[in-house]
Amino acid sequence: MRDLRRCRSALSLNTATLGHRRAIEDVVDLCAERGFGAIAPWRRDLANRRTADLASRIRDRGLTVSGLCRSTDFTAPSAAGRQGAIDDNARALDVAAELGAACYVLVVGSLPVGERDIEDARRQARDGVAALAERAREAGVPLALEPLHPMMAADRSCLNTLAQALDWCEAIDPDRRGVLGVIVDAYHVWWDPDLAAGIARACREKRVLGFHVSDWLRITRDLVYDRGMMGDGVIDLRRLRGWLEAGGYAGPVEVEIFSSADWWTRPEEKVLDVCLERLLTVC
Amino acid sequence: MRDLRRCRSALSLNTATLGHRRAIEDVVDLCAERGFGAIAPWRRDLANRRTADLASRIRDRGLTVSGLCRSTDFTAPSAAGRQGAIDDNARALDVAAELGAACYVLVVGSLPVGERDIEDARRQARDGVAALAERAREAGVPLALEPLHPMMAADRSCLNTLAQALDWCEAIDPDRRGVLGVIVDAYHVWWDPDLAAGIARACREKRVLGFHVSDWLRITRDLVYDRGMMGDGVIDLRRLRGWLEAGGYAGPVEVEIFSSADWWTRPEEKVLDVCLERLLTVC
């Protein structure tokens, strides 16, 4: 396994971790000062500024962009709504390309309100990703399918396991042209009895585009916004990273913590300090 | 598929649905009056009364016992703790036998506080179930492994998918002596991309000991106690029952709703009326 103290370029900060309270330019500077090597902004961070300016700043500070978050849901009640999502995601791909993002992160959506047919939602989402794949190839930005925890299956994502994400990759991109891969987010997949096998397969099939870390708190009070800092929960993060690196993964380790009642209430500088310390001691 | 209006004997009420506020004797009477055919009590319902008396009352009212809930966690920090759990569960098996319960429901436990090794927890739990299986055969009460939703993997159960439960059944009871099976609880498994295949396998391997129904609310406010009434959420319960019955399942359809802020605050009589109506119209 890599010694992360010697791989600062691999240490990435997903801006959601700070709750989107500070301007992205400040966040870039704060990360660079502390020795992070990469950053993963959200589209909302980019509102009301020129992408090229932000891209320059990120480069100037010595950072790379480990990913751009995240897609508009591919599921919708109407065909027009689904096409609208594809078009919107295609525009985001152009932004990702201009930023030099290593991937565009896909959270695919799930059941439209009032619907119960999750198999149909899955077909819609997979068709949408397939339609976007060609645009991704043109833009030169790989699509990163992120399976979300099954507790988010009703409203956020009908893509819920690593195996399912890899099956979609094989169905949509059987020739493995580098256009489609997966994010392994520890929070979403840690519980999976087939995780070791899934990670081995993902590595073998050259699909791993990112590794996100946070922690599962034993007492979890909210289904979305109560993630823990690495080391404060039950996930054996180092074991997961070991599986990935045994399979050849050498990409970023990206902190992504949604924590409305805790970490998002603390000063950004302190949060970043703790993230970095835990990346080096726990992950 | 069965017409449940003609299968009243299959309609079961898990007493957790009423929040354990009324004495079990009253609950038995209320269920019988409404035409339920079965009941699934919890061990806590049985405190301070003779099991034989309760068994008589249940029989006299024309009900059967679809299951006894539930096991003491098999996982523990010490070997003595784990043996204690097995012994405690063996005593519960005797109670289940006296009640004439169709099965003893196993929720296997997960990580002891402070632990992060879920693979070890899974070994502990599986070993515990294996140790109990012989006692179950002697008592004549099958053990029903209930995989719980992955959001309960940290503290309640390290058994999280139907496939995993079926693998444990095959490992522990390869000769299929009727000592070990599974509960398919819609709430826990509805999200699983492999659910149709898993149910088909469970039927083929003669493992299905029960089918529990409730609903997943699109907005879920608590990881344990915010289940919805059938029809109020996103699960296509009839499709699930269809898969089970296509595989030959002809057992009970048991309502089990944990709902501390909603259904547990309503009068038991009204809750039962709604359960019955939804069983007949939604499930």
Side-chain angles (χ1 to χ4, degrees):
Chain A
M1 274 175 73
R2 294 178 289 178
D3 180 348
L4 292 182
R5 285 168 300 184
R6 297 179 187 178
C7 302
R8 289 300 184 100
S9 66
L11 305 182
S12 180
L13 186 281
N14 185 299
T15 62
T17 305
L18 304 181
H20 303 289
R21 292 170 291 162
R22 288 276 270 277
I24 182 69
E25 291 79 7
D26 288 355
V27 174
V28 168
D29 292 354
L30 292 172
C31 287
E33 286 162 14
R34 279 162 181 76
F36 280 90
I39 192 167
W42 283 57
R43 290 161 76 187
R44 59 190 283 182
D45 296 322
L46 277 56
N48 304 317
R49 62 257 293 159
R50 291 182 59 235
T51 303
D53 291 344
L54 181 61
S56 296
R57 190 182 194 104
I58 291 172
R59 269 196 308 274
D60 290 348
R61 298 296 184 275
L63 299 177
T64 58
V65 177
S66 56
L68 176 65
C69 290
R70 73 169 176 79
S71 58
T72 299
D73 289 356
F74 291 95
T75 52
S78 70
R82 294 190 287 278
Q83 185 59 50
I86 293 165
D87 295 340
D88 186 63
N89 285 318
R91 285 189 292 274
L93 277 170
D94 293 334
V95 173
E98 194 167 4
L99 276 178
C103 62
Y104 177 49
V105 178
L106 303 189
V107 172
V108 301
S110 194
L111 294 165
V113 173
E115 292 294 325
R116 288 197 179 86
D117 189 346
I118 196 167
E119 294 191 67
D120 186 53
R122 284 169 173 153
R123 275 189 293 272
Q124 289 181 21
R126 205 173 67 172
D127 288 351
V129 173
L132 192 65
E134 185 56 31
R135 309 284 283 271
R137 197 189 56 75
E138 289 164 12
V141 179
L143 303 175
L145 286 168
E146 181 165 349
L148 296 204
H149 195 287
M151 72 183 169
M152 302 175 190
D155 54 344
R156 286 172 186 268
S157 177
C158 56
L159 184 68
N160 303 108
T161 67
L162 183 53
Q164 186 191 9
L166 293 170
D167 288 346
W168 287 21
C169 287
E170 287 296 288
I172 296 169
D173 176 39
D175 301 330
R176 302 181 190 168
R177 296 173 301 158
V179 74
L180 194 56
V182 299
I183 297 287
V184 177
D185 182 312
Y187 192 81
H188 293 304
V189 302
W190 75 276
W191 60 271
D192 188 343
D194 295 325
L195 185 57
I199 286 176
R201 174 183 166 196
C203 291
R204 202 166 56 240
E205 297 177 355
K206 309 289 184 208
R207 297 292 189 190
V208 188
L209 293 172
F211 175 44
H212 292 185
V213 294
S214 61
D215 215 337
W216 181 281
L217 299 174
R218 199 175 171 86
I219 307 297
T220 296
R221 299 177 197 281
D222 186 277
L223 278 78
V224 178
Y225 299 109
D226 195 22
R227 296 194 188 192
M229 178 62 64
M230 299 79 74
D232 290 348
V234 303
I235 308 177
D236 190 339
L237 292 163
R238 188 156 288 173
R239 172 179 283 180
L240 264 60
R241 184 164 72 88
W243 288 340
L244 280 160
E245 297 190 6
Y249 181 71
V253 180
E254 179 180 319
V255 182
E256 185 183 35
I257 302 173
F258 298 85
S259 171
S260 57
D262 186 354
W263 294 99
W264 290 358
T265 69
R266 305 195 195 192
E268 285 88 342
E269 291 82 352
K270 296 288 174 59
V271 176
L272 288 173
D273 289 343
V274 178
C275 285
L276 199 60
E277 186 254 330
R278 299 293 177 87
L279 276 169
L280 299 180
T281 57
V282 173
C283 298
Chain B
M1 274 176 74
R2 295 178 289 179
D3 179 348
L4 292 182
R5 286 169 299 184
R6 298 179 185 176
C7 302
R8 289 299 184 101
S9 65
L11 304 182
S12 180
L13 188 280
N14 185 299
T15 62
T17 306
L18 304 180
H20 304 288
R21 292 169 290 162
R22 288 275 273 277
I24 181 70
E25 291 79 7
D26 288 354
V27 174
V28 168
D29 293 354
L30 292 172
C31 286
E33 286 162 13
R34 280 161 180 75
F36 280 90
I39 192 167
W42 282 57
R43 292 161 74 187
R44 58 191 283 181
D45 296 323
L46 278 56
N48 304 317
R49 61 258 294 160
R50 291 182 59 237
T51 303
D53 292 343
L54 181 61
S56 297
R57 190 183 193 106
I58 292 171
R59 269 196 309 274
D60 291 349
R61 298 295 185 276
L63 299 177
T64 59
V65 176
S66 55
L68 176 65
C69 289
R70 71 171 178 79
S71 57
T72 299
D73 289 356
F74 291 94
T75 53
S78 72
R82 294 191 287 277
Q83 185 58 50
I86 293 165
D87 295 341
D88 186 65
N89 286 318
R91 286 189 291 275
L93 277 171
D94 294 334
V95 174
E98 194 167 6
L99 278 177
C103 63
Y104 177 49
V105 177
L106 304 188
V107 171
V108 300
S110 193
L111 294 166
V113 172
E115 292 294 325
R116 290 197 179 89
D117 189 345
I118 196 166
E119 294 190 65
D120 187 54
R122 285 170 171 152
R123 275 189 294 272
Q124 290 181 23
R126 206 173 66 172
D127 289 349
V129 173
L132 192 65
E134 185 56 30
R135 308 285 284 271
R137 198 189 55 74
E138 290 163 13
V141 178
L143 302 176
L145 286 169
E146 182 165 348
L148 297 203
H149 194 286
M151 72 182 169
M152 301 176 190
D155 54 344
R156 288 174 184 264
S157 177
C158 56
L159 185 67
N160 303 108
T161 67
L162 183 53
Q164 186 190 9
L166 292 170
D167 288 346
W168 287 22
C169 287
E170 288 295 288
I172 295 169
D173 176 40
D175 302 329
R176 302 181 190 170
R177 296 173 301 158
V179 74
L180 194 57
V182 299
I183 298 287
V184 176
D185 183 312
Y187 192 80
H188 293 305
V189 302
W190 75 276
W191 59 271
D192 187 343
D194 295 326
L195 185 58
I199 286 177
R201 175 184 166 196
C203 291
R204 201 167 56 239
E205 297 176 357
K206 309 288 183 208
R207 297 292 189 189
V208 188
L209 293 173
F211 175 44
H212 292 185
V213 294
S214 62
D215 214 336
W216 181 280
L217 299 175
R218 198 174 171 86
I219 307 297
T220 296
R221 299 176 196 282
D222 186 276
L223 279 78
V224 178
Y225 299 110
D226 195 22
R227 297 194 188 193
M229 178 63 65
M230 299 79 74
D232 290 348
V234 304
I235 308 178
D236 189 339
L237 292 163
R238 187 156 288 172
R239 172 179 282 179
L240 265 60
R241 184 164 71 86
W243 287 339
L244 281 160
E245 297 190 6
Y249 180 71
V253 180
E254 179 179 318
V255 182
E256 185 182 36
I257 301 173
F258 298 85
S259 171
S260 57
D262 185 355
W263 295 98
W264 290 358
T265 69
R266 306 194 195 193
E268 284 89 341
E269 291 82 352
K270 295 288 176 57
V271 176
L272 288 173
D273 289 343
V274 177
C275 285
L276 200 58
E277 187 252 329
R278 299 294 178 88
L279 275 169
L280 299 180
T281 57
V282 173
C283 297

